[in-house]
Amino acid sequence: MALDYRFTPAFENPTGSAIRELFKYLSLPGMISFAGGYPASTFFDQSGLRDAAEQAMRETPLDCLQYAATEGLPALLEQLAELMQRRGAAVKTEDMVVTTGSQQGFDLLLKVLLVPGATVLVECPTYPAALQALRLAGAQVLSAATDADGLDTDALAQQLAQRTPGDVAMLYCVPTFANPTGACLPLARRLALLKLAVAHDFLLVEDDPYGALRFAGEDVPSLLALSRQVEGAEGRVIHLSSLSKVLAPGLRVGWMVAPAAIRQRCLVAKQTVDLCTSPWAQRIAANYLAAGALERALPGLAEGYRKKCERMLAGLQPMAEYLEVSPPAGGMFVWGRCRHGLDAKALLPRAIEQKVLFVPGSAFYAHDPDPSSIRLSFAAPGLADIDEGLERLRRAFL
Amino acid sequence: MALDYRFTPAFENPTGSAIRELFKYLSLPGMISFAGGYPASTFFDQSGLRDAAEQAMRETPLDCLQYAATEGLPALLEQLAELMQRRGAAVKTEDMVVTTGSQQGFDLLLKVLLVPGATVLVECPTYPAALQALRLAGAQVLSAATDADGLDTDALAQQLAQRTPGDVAMLYCVPTFANPTGACLPLARRLALLKLAVAHDFLLVEDDPYGALRFAGEDVPSLLALSRQVEGAEGRVIHLSSLSKVLAPGLRVGWMVAPAAIRQRCLVAKQTVDLCTSPWAQRIAANYLAAGALERALPGLAEGYRKKCERMLAGLQPMAEYLEVSPPAGGMFVWGRCRHGLDAKALLPRAIEQKVLFVPGSAFYAHDPDPSSIRLSFAAPGLADIDEGLERLRRAFL
């Protein structure tokens, strides 16, 4: 029987994730997928995680099984603070909240900070689940231009100059190996972005799930680390990160670093959202980190993704007349544009017929999607599947 | 440096949980606590859970480590549907969502269904984290009277008769072994409540974390199970439950049963909230349930809580002149009222001085708190601590 339910305006006719819509094709026999943002299952450190899990239930069963404090297990908070310090940011445990994936960190922030109708800037293109969260929360989303180096801070300065200072509430970005473009924002632009946040009085939400997956070039400090160097910028950066891409998404363990007034309110919000992130998963993560296993695994992981990325770039060479791509220095994605005015959405059914999947780039735009754009992830498939999948993609272009 | 952040109105000056405020006293040496709603750590089936966890990483490591579908792991959904069927509700896997505790189920519902300013009825008294979630979501909360049997449906009928049909969006309740009162709503009242929901066109949110912890009397069907028997009531009940009280809170595994239109929107919301509940925890729970371990453990668990409850009721006898209590037939709580106009908030510091904790009942009221009320949980402390804690409470009354 169909009742006439009354939904909130945002949920009257919500559209689900365009990427998840592609999932139904994944189960077709023989399909090769460059579509998802899943890490490579073959790279999971199964034995390290099994050891950490066995230790958790052997040594600290009640940490695993009972409720934990909303901010997280102290043992994990300590490990995550050390990890942030190794990444160049002076973070203390009391600056952090363990979240159920970095996705939850953004949801908590929007609950606490986003007045419906407030203006939020995002990179153009940007991460679709952040865009969806912003739309459902009633944000006025504005796109900020990017190029191969990420946010174009000169263009942003011009865009902001045309607005009243203070009317942008926040800017959400993935400055290091962005999803979908793979771009890494250079140091000078990071500093410029922080100065713009000060001058125009907005907050910066720095989402950093991929930063540790660098396989070329030099590390660039996070916006959080740099915020101490720019006058007035301290307290303007909220940093979100996650173990999903570097360890295992199945833990659903992420974290937030936020100024005290914001963090304290996020904790109040989290009490009503899930009380605490799975303490069992937290305890496993804490043991894994305390054993030094992540630091030992990261170089191999980055090297594994470097090989996959290189293989993909090599396999794309024969398609250069159809597809222009930007080589990334880390992360999981290659971003490209079809030449000759080809629409990626028109290419997709031909690709599916050839049994290869990608994501048409329009899913990543808040406004005015570039219909020629496509995202290819090299993370999940093996090297042979990358070769074969790209040969199929080449045939789809013909 | 203190920046002047702009928060959403609900988060300008949020108050955290009154119960969590008591946590600081828990660490005082020798403190005995009847305050929390934590299950007994000594009742956790550590070996059963260890077996389920080892099986998970041995047989299905990628289920544990990779992302799962937003609705939950199929293996867990099947087990939970069977569990619901054993509890008398004809539930299929496609009616359910695995949630990060039942707390998340309520958060998702509020995102999807609660138009700010909409009217929501709650039991008086009610579960504080639900009350907090409603307030932060901008609900107009109305209290519905209860007695020793839970919601007073006659009084509710009168209350609703004075309102325009359709102006109450939903009623949130814990009909079986309520938090804080321990009351179990009798069958006739459940049917009356369902009829009221039909007549006045509102939804019923049935939160059922304690229902399997019955230690006296006969099972009463859930509102969900009964909704098929009342004309027009089908599709009006959203059922939330959890493994936290019967297995382990550390899993953070709960579930929602909801009509298709609501469930589908909750899935869209969950994509932006945490993508999926920890697949590792889900896989452990699925293995535990598939082994029949929960069904084997439940009778002993209920018997364990029965003994603790009996011990608490016996220990409260010598205080009968100070404190009037209602014996529950299940769950974790004894609800009482101080006699002679004593304010429980004035009793609390005297109790803390005696090294015993309880929760003053005012935390559980949306309006007009009964200052004499107190909640005592018998779940966590051992039998000897129950004896000793109540002797201390008796001294606090003197």
Side-chain angles (χ1 to χ4, degrees), chain A residues 109-143:
Chain A
L109 280 180
L110 294 185
K111 273 187 194 270
V112 163
L113 289 168
L114 190 88
V115 180
T119 299
V120 178
L121 279 160
V122 299
E123 292 157 301
C124 176
T126 190
Y127 170 51
L131 199 53
Q132 172 85 325
L134 284 165
R135 284 174 172 153
L136 293 175
Q140 180 77 27
V141 180
L142 281 187
S143 293

Side-chain angles (χ1 to χ4, degrees), chain A residues 292-376:
Chain A
L294 185 67
E295 295 307 306
R296 282 197 302 277
L298 275 177
L301 195 64
E303 174 61 13
Y305 284 126
R306 188 195 63 75
K307 279 188 187 151
K308 289 189 178 203
C309 181
E310 191 176 69
R311 194 75 159 246
M312 176 168 273
L313 293 170
L316 285 166
Q317 284 284 356
M319 274 172 272
E321 60 175 308
Y322 307 111
L323 186 68
E324 177 192 2
V325 298
S326 327
M332 300 190 161
F333 306 109
V334 170
W335 182 244
R337 285 188 177 80
C338 303
R339 298 186 198 265
H340 317 301
L342 181 65
D343 186 327
K345 279 190 176 162
L347 180 66
L348 183 63
R350 282 148 56 187
I352 290 170
E353 206 174 297
Q354 296 289 338
K355 296 204 178 288
V356 62
L357 274 183
F358 63 84
V359 186
S362 49
F364 302 93
Y365 287 82
H367 311 92
D368 307 322
D370 176 350
S372 75
S373 60
I374 80 171
R375 189 191 76 175
L376 298 167

Side-chain angles (χ1 to χ4, degrees), chain A residues 25-174:
Chain A
Y25 300 110
L26 282 180
S27 55
L28 295 181
M31 184 65 76
I32 292 175
S33 176
F34 302 132
Y38 284 25
S41 293
T42 50
F43 291 175
F44 291 144
D45 181 4
Q46 287 192 31
S47 74
L49 283 163
R50 194 177 288 115
D51 289 350
E54 286 177 8
Q55 182 191 1
M57 275 297 277
R58 188 176 64 240
E59 295 179 3
T60 53
L62 299 189
D63 272 9
C64 297
L65 302 179
Q66 193 52 280
Y67 288 106
T70 303
E71 60 266 34
L73 280 184
L76 179 59
L77 287 165
E78 280 164 30
Q79 289 301 322
L80 293 174
E82 283 181 24
L83 181 151
M84 290 301 298
Q85 288 157 18
R86 283 195 302 272
R87 294 183 186 173
V91 169
K92 297 189 289 288
T93 56
E94 59 266 32
D95 304 324
M96 311 180 82
V97 183
V98 176
T99 55
T100 308
S102 72
Q103 190 72 40
Q104 188 190 48
F106 194 52
D107 181 60
L108 296 175
L109 280 180
L110 294 185
K111 273 187 194 270
V112 163
L113 289 168
L114 190 88
V115 180
T119 299
V120 178
L121 279 160
V122 299
E123 292 157 301
C124 176
T126 190
Y127 170 51
L131 199 53
Q132 172 85 325
L134 284 165
R135 284 174 172 153
L136 293 175
Q140 180 77 27
V141 180
L142 281 187
S143 293
T146 67
D147 59 21
D149 284 335
L151 270 176
D152 179 341
T153 43
D154 288 340
L156 180 61
Q158 287 176 31
Q159 189 178 7
L160 288 164
Q162 288 162 31
R163 307 187 65 91
T164 318
D167 88 330
V168 170
M170 66 174 80
L171 184 147
Y172 167 85
C173 59
V174 184

Side-chain angles (χ1 to χ4, degrees), chain A residues 177 184 213-219 302 306 328-330:
Chain A
F177 315 131
C184 180
L213 297 178
R214 176 180 287 279
F215 44 70
E218 293 292 313
D219 278 341
R306 188 195 63 75

Side-chain angles (χ1 to χ4, degrees), chain A residues 1 3-9 11-17 20 37-42 44-46 49-50 53-54 57-58 61-70 100-101 103-105 107 110-116 127 129 132-133 136 166-169 200-203 232-236 244-245 248-252 259 261-262 264-266 268-281 284, chain B residues 1 3-9 11-17 20 37-42 44-46 49-50 53-54 57-58 61-70 100-101 103-105 107 110-116 127 129 132-133 136 166-169 200-203 232-236 244-245 248-252 259 261-262 264-266 268-281 284:
Chain A
M1 190 183 109
L3 284 170
D4 190 17
Y5 300 108
R6 284 158 290 176
F7 296 107
T8 52
F11 281 95
E12 270 170 21
N13 288 296
T15 50
S17 152
R20 292 205 166 228
Y38 284 25
S41 293
T42 50
F44 291 144
D45 181 4
Q46 287 192 31
L49 283 163
R50 194 177 288 115
E54 286 177 8
M57 275 297 277
R58 188 176 64 240
L62 299 189
D63 272 9
C64 297
L65 302 179
Q66 193 52 280
Y67 288 106
T70 303
T100 308
Q103 190 72 40
Q104 188 190 48
D107 181 60
L110 294 185
K111 273 187 194 270
V112 163
L113 289 168
L114 190 88
V115 180
Y127 170 51
Q132 172 85 325
L136 293 175
D167 88 330
V168 170
H200 294 271
D201 191 19
F202 58 85
L203 297 175
E234 205 175 341
R236 291 198 179 272
S244 293
K245 311 301 184 185
L251 289 165
R252 308 307 306 121
I262 295 174
Q264 180 261 326
R265 286 168 173 84
C266 286
V268 171
K270 190 166 163 67
Q271 285 172 12
T272 70
V273 163
D274 64 5
L275 301 175
C276 59
T277 293
S278 168
W280 199 338
I284 294 169
Chain B
M1 189 183 111
L3 284 171
D4 191 18
Y5 302 108
R6 285 157 288 175
F7 297 107
T8 54
F11 281 94
E12 270 170 23
N13 288 295
T15 50
S17 153
R20 293 203 166 228
Y38 282 27
S41 293
T42 50
F44 291 143
D45 180 4
Q46 287 192 30
L49 282 164
R50 195 178 288 116
E54 287 177 7
M57 275 297 277
R58 189 175 61 240
L62 299 189
D63 272 9
C64 296
L65 301 180
Q66 193 52 280
Y67 288 107
T70 303
T100 308
Q103 190 72 39
Q104 188 190 47
D107 181 60
L110 294 185
K111 273 187 192 268
V112 164
L113 289 168
L114 191 88
V115 180
Y127 169 49
Q132 173 85 326
L136 293 175
D167 90 329
V168 170
H200 294 271
D201 190 20
F202 58 84
L203 297 175
E234 205 174 339
R236 288 197 181 275
S244 293
K245 311 302 183 184
L251 289 165
R252 308 309 303 123
I262 295 174
Q264 179 262 326
R265 286 168 173 84
C266 286
V268 171
K270 192 168 162 65
Q271 285 172 12
T272 69
V273 164
D274 64 6
L275 301 175
C276 59
T277 294
S278 168
W280 199 337
I284 295 170

Side-chain angles (χ1 to χ4, degrees), chain B residues 19-30:
Chain B
I19 298 178
R20 293 203 166 228
E21 289 301 303
L22 295 174
F23 278 17
K24 57 182 175 233
Y25 300 110
L26 281 180
S27 55
L28 296 181

